């Protein structure tokens, strides 16, 4: 396991519980969706994974060892585990795109040529190759978000944490981001993202971790989601539209069994059958 959280609890300074006995595990190289309603603890958990927040009780292991929260330990952790904030304005602070994306690799002490190559690669990966010299404050929300991702990719992390990456993006930008995530997965990078979009979680993730009130109610392979309808309901989530459609078709005898991972293409023969539903 890459991350293993056991009974993790975090109380904010005002006494509000951010996490309340959260246990879950993240497999190396997998795509993970932390799925939950607002306030369920997704952001708090992601910030534990890169040591930005520390638990009041419980344990968190990374790569088989307890998370090292010394200054040097946290610096080493953040080289391996990159976090992209939900709000790009919290993450971007340099005047230009190239300065912002260079900041992390320069901090690693890499030489200028290596930094230049890494920055160019990271900007190309997020589709911003021609934007290096633009002032950050001239960029659109979606472009700012991509600069944030480039800044983390330039560190060449093993794990990418993304807080609500799809929020505020139009559907074309969401598709581009999904394609980028697919290429990162193909490179072996472990991805953990938060979302409240059950359809996206079902379509994209290997593992779904259902969060509610600071706890993980259930972790399951995305393909097993239909068996967790009750836990989804408890977490304030609906069943994905494609799963609901499949259930209705099955209830009317238009499909025999529930296929493992339904898609519109798989359901098409039933949808186009002449029998009335
Ligand atoms: N800085 C903070 N101070 C006090 N309470 C907070 C703070 N950030 C989050 N919380 C509380 O912690 C709980 C979990 O929040 P959060 O992790 O932001 O959830 P999510 O990302 O799923 O919306 C919520 O009850 C929220 O109000
Ligand atoms: Mg959040």
């Amino acid at each position: 396991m890459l991350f293993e959280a056991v009974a993790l609890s975090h109380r904010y300074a005002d006494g509000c519980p951010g996490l309340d006995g959260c246990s879950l595990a993240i497999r190396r190289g997998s795509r993970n969706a932390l799925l939950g309603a607002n306030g369920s603890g997704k952001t708090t958990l992601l910030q534990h994974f890169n040591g930005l927040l520390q638990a009041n009780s419980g344990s968190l292991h990374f790569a088989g060892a307890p998370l090292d929260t010394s200054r040097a330990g946290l610096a080493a952790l953040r080289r391996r585990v990159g976090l992209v904030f939900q709000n790009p304005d919290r993450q971007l602070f340099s005047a230009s795109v190239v300065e912002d994306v260079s900041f992390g690799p320069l901090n690693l002490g890499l030489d200028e040529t290596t930094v230049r190559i890494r920055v160019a690669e990271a900007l190309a990966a997020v589709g911003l190759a021609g934007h290096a010299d633009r002032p950050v404050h001239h960029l659109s929300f979606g472009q700012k978000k991509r600069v944030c991702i480039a800044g983390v990719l330039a560190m060449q992390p093993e794990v990418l944490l993304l807080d609500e990456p799809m929020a505020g993006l139009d559907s074309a930008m969401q598709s581009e981001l999904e394609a980028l995530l697919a290429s990162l997965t193909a490179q072996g990078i472990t991805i953990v993202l938060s979302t409240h979009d059950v359809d996206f979680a079902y379509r994209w993730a290997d593992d779904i971790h259902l969060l509610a009130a600071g706890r993980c109610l259930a972790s399951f392979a995305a393909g097993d989601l239909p068996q967790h309808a009750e836990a989804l309901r408890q977490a304030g989530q609906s069943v994905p539209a494609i799963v609901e459609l499949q259930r209705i078709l099955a209830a009317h005898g238009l499909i025999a069994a529930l296929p493992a991972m339904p898609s519109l293409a798989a359901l098409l023969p039933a949808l186009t059958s002449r029998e009335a539903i």
Side-chain angles (χ1 to χ4, degrees):
M1 286 299 166
L2 196 56
F3 282 108
E4 203 155 15
V6 177
L8 217 55
S9 292
H10 179 87
R11 223 162 246 289
Y12 282 100
D14 65 358
C16 184
L19 290 175
D20 186 17
C22 184
S23 299
L24 58 78
I26 305 289
R27 296 179 296 127
R28 190 183 291 275
S30 60
R31 293 169 291 189
N32 297 267
L34 307 178
L35 177 66
N38 282 342
S40 58
K42 303 182 295 296
T43 297
T44 307
L45 181 60
L46 286 174
Q47 294 191 353
H48 277 71
F49 284 156
N50 89 332
L52 211 57
L53 292 176
Q54 279 148 34
N56 298 107
S57 62
S59 69
L60 180 57
H61 282 64
F62 173 62
L67 213 74
D68 178 356
T69 55
S70 68
R71 203 183 146 93
L74 286 177
L77 177 71
R78 288 178 194 150
R79 278 202 286 279
R80 299 174 68 184
V81 182
L83 170 64
V84 179
F85 288 100
Q86 177 170 5
N87 178 1
D89 290 326
R90 236 195 108 180
Q91 190 145 1
L92 300 173
F93 52 87
S94 302
S96 74
V97 169
V98 67
E99 278 176 49
D100 221 290
V101 178
S102 306
F103 179 80
L106 281 174
N107 249 4
L108 293 182
L110 299 169
D111 64 83
E112 266 186 45
T113 311
T114 308
V115 171
R116 212 170 316 126
I117 293 169
R118 281 200 183 191
V119 170
E121 284 174 354
L123 286 176
V126 301
L128 287 178
H131 297 259
D133 296 319
R134 291 188 65 191
V136 165
H137 67 274
H138 284 181
L139 302 178
S140 70
F141 178 82
Q143 288 171 327
K144 283 184 182 173
K145 202 123 185 170
R146 284 188 276 162
V147 174
C148 293
I149 296 173
V152 172
L153 292 182
M155 304 283 283
Q156 299 188 344
E158 291 165 49
V159 186
L160 185 60
L161 310 171
L162 301 127
D163 199 0
E164 304 269 0
M166 297 297 175
L169 299 185
D170 65 30
S171 67
M173 285 195 292
Q174 290 190 359
S175 302
E176 280 173 28
L177 182 55
E178 265 194 75
L180 173 62
L181 296 182
S183 84
L184 298 175
T185 299
Q187 292 167 41
I189 297 176
T190 307
I191 302 179
V192 186
L193 57 77
S194 66
T195 183
H196 50 255
D197 181 344
V198 71
D199 292 279
F200 167 64
Y202 185 55
R203 183 173 72 240
W204 172 80
D206 296 310
D207 295 338
I208 294 176
H209 312 276
L210 202 53
L211 265 61
R215 279 169 195 261
C216 181
L217 293 186
S219 285
F220 46 83
D224 292 338
L225 178 142
Q227 299 156 34
H228 295 273
E230 177 54 26
L232 284 168
R233 198 191 55 72
Q234 279 176 29
Q237 299 294 316
S238 52
V239 168
I242 190 88
V243 174
E244 186 58 14
L245 173 62
Q246 183 189 39
R247 193 190 61 73
I248 292 167
L249 290 172
H252 286 80
L254 291 172
I255 52 173
L258 301 181
M261 222 27 200
S263 64
L264 268 182
L267 296 177
L268 205 58
L271 287 168
T272 53
S273 104
R274 281 164 183 277
E275 287 178 53
I277 291 182

